[in-house]
Amino acid sequence: MSFRFSTILLALALPMAAVETAYAQQPHIEQVGAAAQANLNALVNGSPTVVPRGSLEPTKGSPYADNRWLPARLRMTNNVPLAPVPLKYDVLNQRLLMRPINRPNDSLQLNDRLLAGFELEEPALTATGTRKRVFRRFNEAPVPTQRAEYVEVLHEGKYALLKRYAKSLRKADFQGAYSTDRRYDEIEDKPTYYLRRPNGSVEPVKLTLKALQAAAPELASALKAAPKSSSAKTDAEWGAVFAAADK
């Protein structure tokens, strides 16, 4: 009964509200009409003008370090053992997402307050078996605010070769007279590689033989002599080169 009564009151009030809204919108309608006329005049005169164009296209790029749900072993600061869980590292939003085993269509944000690091297992591509990718906190980051982030450990021995993932969102730009006509948001990859020396100092480095030799002159000869040092391209290949040199 109360529902029907409320419905009747709403129906009675609607005409007056519509009239008030129409009056309130009248100045706005006039402004829009004036703007449209100004745009039309500008087009006739050959002047720059705003022309609404199309809709937003799907976002390009990915917020994740790896788009796949990969089995992950979590390493806790309190050393409590945990069963492996499917995991994604959302770099853009700086969070870890997990997929419950009993709810494969859902994803949850992992509370990583007590997490020291995690190890991802990539599916076997060859007979050598799965590839393990180790991530840990960037404790030695030269920028203090980055020390809670995760870096991928490409090699760790006397030296450490680390990859810090970073993503940035570039918004679409297709409206306005001076737009670039880019109709999509784009997530751009901006990773940085770091070399940690035995004395604890850390500096950014490029993954080239010349740059690594300059950053670690003590290993210059060993790096040059390492297998595939002249042809390495991927993170895994450079990790293997540095592992061979830093024995």
Side-chain angles (χ1 to χ4, degrees):
M1 181 64 69
S2 59
F3 174 78
R4 292 180 60 191
F5 181 67
S6 299
T7 304
I8 293 171
L9 284 179
L10 179 60
L12 290 174
L14 185 58
M16 182 58 69
V19 171
E20 292 176 351
T21 302
Y23 277 111
Q25 290 181 342
Q26 188 65 29
H28 175 69
I29 293 173
E30 292 176 356
Q31 292 172 3
V32 171
Q37 185 60 49
N39 270 350
L40 183 59
N41 294 339
L43 283 171
V44 172
N45 297 330
S47 303
T49 186
V50 177
V51 181
R53 290 178 288 172
S55 58
L56 191 66
E57 296 178 3
T59 299
K60 292 188 177 183
S62 168
Y64 305 113
D66 195 303
N67 288 332
R68 299 168 293 180
W69 287 105
L70 296 177
R73 294 187 178 276
L74 307 180
R75 184 167 58 85
M76 311 302 293
T77 55
N78 55 10
N79 295 320
V80 174
L82 297 174
V85 294
L87 196 73
K88 279 186 180 182
Y89 177 21
D90 182 350
V91 179
L92 183 65
N93 299 294
Q94 282 300 305
R95 60 181 182 173
L96 295 175
L97 301 178
M98 60 176 289
R99 187 172 65 182
I101 301 297
N102 58 344
R103 303 206 309 268
N105 294 325
D106 294 338
S107 62
L108 303 173
Q109 182 172 345
L110 179 68
N111 184 348
D112 64 346
R113 185 172 55 88
L114 297 178
L115 189 65
F118 55 92
E119 184 179 279
L120 298 178
E121 293 185 1
E122 285 191 336
L125 298 177
T126 64
T128 57
T130 59
R131 176 193 169 207
K132 295 181 180 180
R133 298 171 59 185
V134 177
F135 290 75
R136 64 166 173 79
R137 301 282 188 180
F138 195 10
N139 297 317
E140 62 272 78
V143 180
T145 55
Q146 296 176 357
R147 292 173 185 170
E149 298 179 10
Y150 298 100
V151 286
E152 184 172 4
V153 182
L154 305 182
H155 165 73
E156 191 149 25
K158 293 180 180 178
Y159 289 81
L161 186 60
L162 309 171
K163 179 180 182 179
R164 175 183 175 263
Y165 289 84
K167 305 268 187 174
S168 64
L169 178 62
R170 191 161 64 125
K171 300 294 290 183
D173 180 22
F174 62 95
Q175 299 287 5
Y178 303 102
S179 72
T180 60
D181 200 32
R182 191 179 67 256
R183 298 169 178 268
Y184 53 85
D185 293 343
E186 184 174 11
I187 298 174
E188 299 177 321
D189 290 300
K190 296 184 177 180
T192 306
Y193 297 90
Y194 288 90
L195 183 68
R196 190 203 65 208
R197 298 189 181 88
N199 63 6
S201 62
V202 179
E203 72 170 59
V205 65
K206 293 183 179 179
L207 286 192
T208 66
L209 179 58
K210 185 176 181 180
L212 291 172
Q213 287 177 314
E218 304 88 349
L219 299 179
S221 298
L223 285 168
K224 186 175 182 179
K228 298 184 179 180
S229 62
S230 60
S231 60
K233 294 180 180 179
T234 67
D235 294 347
E237 289 171 344
W238 279 115
V241 167
F242 218 93
D246 183 30
K247 293 181 179 179

